Amino acid sequence: GLVIDEGLLYEGTGLYSHSSLCRLRLESGQVLQCCTLPKSFWGEGITILGNNVYQLTSQNHTGFVYDKESFNLIRKFTYPTEGWGLTHDGRHLIMSDGTAYLYFLDPNTLAEDRKIEVRDGNQPVQYLNELELIKGKIYANVWQTERIAVIDPETGRVSAWIDLAGLLAQQPPGVDVLNV
């Protein structure tokens, strides 16, 4: 996951034994601060809400809440699904798990307030991955495709598609998804 906040880049990386949360200078990529996850966790999506950084893990059903300035761990939380993407709307954390559902979590209790099924017409949209909220719409990368769904957060309806056809072919060898 990537987030730009106050001119700094926050990056959550994932691989077992190599997952981290880092703050970097946007212009140079210089690492300013970094903390690592336990070796048994595969880090995934991140978002910043208030003074906290929230980070998901892929299959561990565990998330982490850090103090944005110190990166001190404030708490862990659990969820019953996988953790893929994370963003927020100012009131809720919005989480994807690789299915057609988006989960709205209370940022204080980290409990699910509601969930929506994302549909394009009558078809569920599976493999929702990295999330961003832009101008009131959720943008979701669809894993192993070259498309981004633009989603209404109230109804779950896809209002538009961003077609990135050809972009994956321009990536280095071994890169098989756009959200690397």
Side-chain angles (χ1 to χ4, degrees):
L2 297 172
V3 175
I4 297 172
D5 185 71
E6 298 179 5
L8 297 171
L9 177 67
Y10 291 77
E11 175 186 44
T13 64
L15 282 178
Y16 291 113
S17 299
H18 299 289
S19 292
S20 64
L21 171 67
C22 297
R23 181 175 30 242
L24 304 94
R25 287 198 195 286
L26 187 57
E27 304 80 21
S28 66
Q30 175 191 6
V31 176
L32 302 173
Q33 189 170 7
C34 213
C35 69
T36 57
L37 275 65
K39 292 181 181 203
S40 61
F41 289 91
W42 181 300
E44 275 292 342
I46 65 169
T47 195
I48 296 173
L49 181 57
N51 294 320
N52 295 331
V53 180
Y54 298 82
Q55 183 174 29
L56 301 176
T57 60
S58 175
Q59 297 177 359
N60 301 92
H61 309 284
T62 303
F64 300 95
V65 183
Y66 304 94
D67 176 82
K68 184 175 88 170
E69 297 305 317
S70 67
F71 279 14
N72 288 335
L73 180 65
I74 296 171
R75 69 185 279 202
K76 294 180 186 179
F77 63 101
T78 60
Y79 40 89
T81 65
E82 292 186 5
W84 284 36
L86 192 63
T87 192
H88 71 86
D89 63 6
R91 296 181 323 259
H92 294 97
L93 301 175
I94 306 168
M95 181 179 103
S96 66
D97 66 353
T99 66
Y101 288 95
L102 295 177
Y103 303 85
F104 291 71
L105 310 178
D106 180 296
N108 298 311
T109 66
L110 299 160
E112 181 184 314
D113 278 349
R114 68 183 179 100
K115 70 180 180 181
I116 59 172
E117 184 179 31
V118 176
R119 292 183 161 274
D120 184 14
N122 291 326
Q123 297 289 19
V125 179
Q126 299 286 334
Y127 305 114
L128 300 172
N129 196 359
E130 183 61 33
L131 304 175
E132 299 298 332
L133 187 92
I134 303 168
K135 296 183 179 180
K137 299 288 185 183
I138 300 169
Y139 288 66
N141 159 262
V142 180
W143 185 60
Q144 292 195 323
T145 74
E146 294 182 84
R147 298 182 349 151
I148 296 173
V150 182
I151 304 161
D152 181 306
E154 296 303 317
T155 66
R157 297 288 177 206
V158 174
S159 60
W161 286 98
I162 299 172
D163 184 358
L164 301 171
L167 187 59
L168 194 54
Q170 298 174 32
Q171 300 307 306
V175 174
D176 61 355
V177 294
L178 289 179
N179 63 318
V180 174

